[in-house]
Amino acid sequence: MILGPSVVPYLSPRPLCLLYRLLSEVRVNGYASACRCLCTDGHTPQPVIGQDSVDVLGHSFPRDDFTNVTPKILDKVGRNLHNQMHHPLWLIKERIKAHFYSTYTGRWGNPLFSVHDNLSPVVTVEQNFDSLLIPPGHPSRKRGDNYYLNRKTMLRAHTSAHQTELVRSGLDAFLLAGDVYRRDQIDASHFPVFHQMEGVRLFSNHELFCKVPSGEDLSLFERGGRRTPHKQESHTLEAVKLVEFDLKHTLTRLVTTLFGADVEVRWVDCYFPFTHPSFEMEVRFQGDWMEVLGCGVMEQELLNSVGAENKLGWAFGLGLERLAMVLYSIPDIRLFWSQDERFLKQFRVEDIQQPICFQPLSKFPPLHNDISFWLPDAKDGGTGLESFTENDLYDLVRSIGGDLVEKVSLVDEFTHPKTRRRSQCYRIVYRHLERTLTQQEVRLVHQRIEHAAETELGVQGRY
């Protein structure tokens, strides 16, 4: 349920996991076979961006004026790092699963939470936004911030794109993990593909109040109520407070398992379109407060729309990379995609709870190259800001430079006093994770970026 970067962090019971994957096969808006529990284990055809269509995960989607997915991004689809045994993201996911499996059980001792970690990242725009009450025109829908296959289909920007489908299928408690895709800045902690894990828990009237004295006289809902900072209009205050307590207690137990019994936790009020009230959890780590997840009481309108109008629930979402970088001291997010055996072997442990402190590979020297250009004129004769976004440049740099690029930052900008044209200068830091780069090979990549910026973004180079 993490919407944006700021909103937005044993032995597994494998037979049970297989059972729950069978439960994951839910229909997805008209193309169930394309987007339900689709296993991408290396046997799926390679994605192709053609002149008229985009082929991904064995299905073809027509291109239109919204298509902006790139070959570099499609190359990551189906990698499923969170399902690769002994990968650091898999370790974090399995630790969270193990905690929920062992802590929350049903009447007969079976795990209360089912787990869904193999749903296709190709979703409809309706799934990704409308089903979560994110209105048309909301900034998070922008083409510049997402990867669209066409106007109706995209690579999910958050795992919550599947939330309503799972609730509609009858599930009351589940964990959901997967890869998500967003156009974003370039530095050591941001990558256009990352991984999220979220949880949902729904309560009936009896489940919520069964342990409360005279609980049979209490209700989840009220008529004629009003929305306040503490509750939704249809919820009773006593129901919301119980759900909020259960949510915070559940998540505090989780981070205590991950960070240790002495971890300090604090809660910050925030806003999400799909929960109210909403919170961010922060933990004190190495002397600083660090956001690790977002959560809240689910909007009742969302539950009503999928046939769960008699229940009230909570949801949370966290980033797996964020947790893995902190818990395992991984300094650069690009490392998660490394095939270097020196990286991977450090996470092959017999016990997933075993502490791991990543030992850095040799630190190869960075190479810096600047790119300066005049921004294109806007249609209305303005500064050009309306027709150029930083995410356009970041995506172009990633498409050409790939994982050679460590960071891109704006280092200078000015407006010409006479022409009012606006100029920007970006510094691109190149560093290979596994070998030393030469200035000659970097210069060839940089020249391709300069040329593409002019031809594709409409800027005028100042090289």
Side-chain angles (χ1 to χ4, degrees), residues 26 59 61 71 81 85 87 95 102 164 167-168 191 194 202 207 218 226 270 283 289 358 373 414-415 437 450 452-453:
V26 294
H59 293 264
F61 302 89
L81 301 183
M85 188 171 292
H87 190 278
R95 289 179 65 183
S102 62
T164 58
V167 172
R168 183 182 286 116
F191 202 77
F194 57 104
L202 305 184
E207 289 172 319
L218 300 177
R226 63 186 183 89
C270 62
V283 300
W289 287 105
F358 171 66
F373 45 74
F414 75 95
T415 301
L437 292 172
E450 291 174 333

Side-chain angles (χ1 to χ4, degrees), residues 186-198:
I186 301 177
D187 58 34
S189 61
H190 291 85
F191 202 77
V193 188
F194 57 104
H195 298 75
Q196 289 183 344
M197 192 164 188
E198 66 181 79

Side-chain angles (χ1 to χ4, degrees), residues 19 21 60 89 105 108 203 229 248 308 311 324-325 370 390 404 411 445 448:
L19 171 64
R21 285 191 180 179
S60 182
L89 298 180
T105 57
W108 307 110
F203 300 89
K248 292 181 177 180
K311 296 179 180 178
M325 292 178 77
D370 292 349
E390 290 188 1
L404 295 183
V411 294
V445 173
R448 290 176 57 200

